[in-house]
Amino acid sequence: MKCIETTGLFILVILLVVDFAPTAPAFTLTPALSDIWIPSLRTSWQWQLTGVVDQSVDAEMYDIDLFDNDASVVASLHAKGRKVVCYMSAGSWENWRPDADRFPNEVLGRPLEGWPGERWLDIRQIDILGPIMTARLDLCKQKGFDGVEPDNVDGYTNNSGFPLTYGDQIKYNKFLAEEAHKRGLSVGLKNDLDQVTDLLPYFDWALNEECFKYEECGKLIPFIRAGKAVFQVEYNLRLWQFCPRANRIGFNSMKKHLELDAWRRPCR
């Protein structure tokens, strides 16, 4: 008899919970990571940031400029079965971008060496930079991109003109990753090798320039061990100088021109 009474009480509680449960959430839920496109460990890719995008390249993923390409380019690549990532600088101001006038002088730091018209940003001021960067992520989503490559996210290691710390960079990079995920975009960690361990849980893949040249590729192994793709380029080394090692450790490596035009020589 006690068993029957307990069971009846249990059923009554369930019915009450169901009765008073809301029929729908009162807010928009952030997409689950399972709903976000994540590149597989081995993914062929093309990285072209200058010139008209050459859509004939046989690659599963295209990484192209956010502002220089409209939604029709993304749609065309999708029709060919490609995934498409938008490139945007998140840590520097570029004077040629259509939203350049949104950045107040107080967040503009020293010029990036070798890159005319570009200056480091004071990433500590997320209250100012946050709305600008989320607007860019919104544009990325609106154009139909599948992921985002935020560039220059290692300002704390450079002569930025601001006293940026390791912690400042972690906070800012986590902010970018979380905002990308809110919009259903996968997000890659660009360079920033010394923070891989701390940022690995927040980023879906990594993109690196010249780690073989500088003998730093070991710092990216945590991504491989976590089953997350590493996209990697060399500009000066010959293929035989890095491709065998890249293939052995599971990187998606290729040789590119520094201007990142359509030319590419993949390792596999």
Side-chain angles (χ1 to χ4, degrees):
M1 188 65 181
K2 286 183 179 178
C3 182
I4 293 173
E5 289 175 353
T6 303
T7 303
L9 181 60
F10 180 71
I11 292 171
L12 179 60
V13 169
I14 291 176
L15 289 173
L16 287 171
V17 169
V18 171
D19 245 6
F20 289 99
T23 55
F27 53 89
T28 302
L29 295 172
T30 297
L33 280 179
S34 59
D35 297 326
I36 295 174
W37 168 75
I38 307 292
S40 61
L41 199 56
R42 181 167 178 168
T43 299
S44 59
W45 68 302
Q46 165 66 321
W47 193 21
Q48 183 181 349
L49 302 184
T50 60
V52 177
V53 174
D54 179 357
Q55 300 187 33
S56 69
V57 175
D58 185 14
E60 298 167 81
M61 180 187 97
Y62 275 63
D63 187 341
I64 62 177
D65 191 85
L66 166 64
F67 292 109
D68 293 346
N69 298 282
D70 58 31
S72 64
V73 176
V74 181
S76 178
L77 288 167
H78 280 162
K80 295 177 171 64
R82 318 304 189 191
K83 295 295 183 181
V84 196
V85 168
C86 71
Y87 167 91
M88 56 175 257
S89 183
S92 72
W93 172 79
E94 301 159 308
N95 64 8
W96 64 91
R97 297 302 188 183
D99 61 355
D101 61 354
R102 291 194 61 188
F103 295 81
N105 285 332
E106 66 191 271
V107 300
L108 304 184
R110 295 179 60 83
L112 272 70
E113 187 176 350
W115 300 97
E118 199 165 354
R119 294 167 66 179
W120 290 105
L121 292 172
D122 186 356
I123 59 168
R124 298 170 300 174
Q125 301 196 56
I126 295 181
D127 57 327
I128 295 175
L129 296 180
I132 301 173
M133 296 304 158
T134 53
R136 289 183 172 188
L137 291 171
D138 286 340
L139 181 62
C140 183
K141 184 64 176 180
Q142 289 162 13
K143 288 186 175 183
F145 285 93
D146 304 288
V148 56
E149 178 213 334
D151 195 10
N152 298 309
V153 292
D154 55 0
Y156 85 103
T157 66
N158 289 273
N159 186 14
S160 67
F162 304 109
L164 304 180
T165 67
Y166 187 100
D168 293 331
Q169 195 70 64
I170 291 290
K171 181 180 179 180
Y172 186 65
N173 291 1
K174 285 171 61 177
F175 162 79
L176 293 170
E178 289 165 354
E179 291 299 323
H181 286 156
K182 286 179 184 178
R183 290 158 178 77
L185 299 166
S186 75
V187 59
L189 180 63
K190 175 72 170 291
N191 297 323
D192 196 20
L193 294 177
D194 291 334
Q195 297 190 327
V196 164
T197 301
D198 289 327
L199 293 173
L200 179 62
Y202 301 93
F203 286 81
D204 308 305
W205 42 275
L207 195 157
N208 170 267
E209 297 168 289
E210 299 189 289
C211 72
F212 286 105
K213 177 180 178 180
Y214 295 108
E215 299 294 336
E216 298 174 324
C217 293
K219 295 180 180 180
L220 288 161
I221 295 301
F223 270 92
I224 298 296
R225 289 176 178 162
K228 298 182 178 183
V230 173
F231 301 99
Q232 197 273 327
V233 299
E234 294 292 334
Y235 301 118
N236 299 310
L237 298 182
R238 296 181 179 181
L239 293 179
W240 64 265
Q241 292 178 298
F242 70 96
C243 280
R245 287 183 290 166
N247 292 343
R248 186 167 60 250
I249 59 182
F251 287 4
N252 302 291
S253 292
M254 60 181 171
K255 185 178 176 68
K256 292 284 295 182
H257 294 151
L258 185 60
E259 59 267 30
L260 294 173
D261 55 11
W263 184 90
R264 70 195 276 273
R265 289 293 182 272
C267 288
R268 59 189 180 195

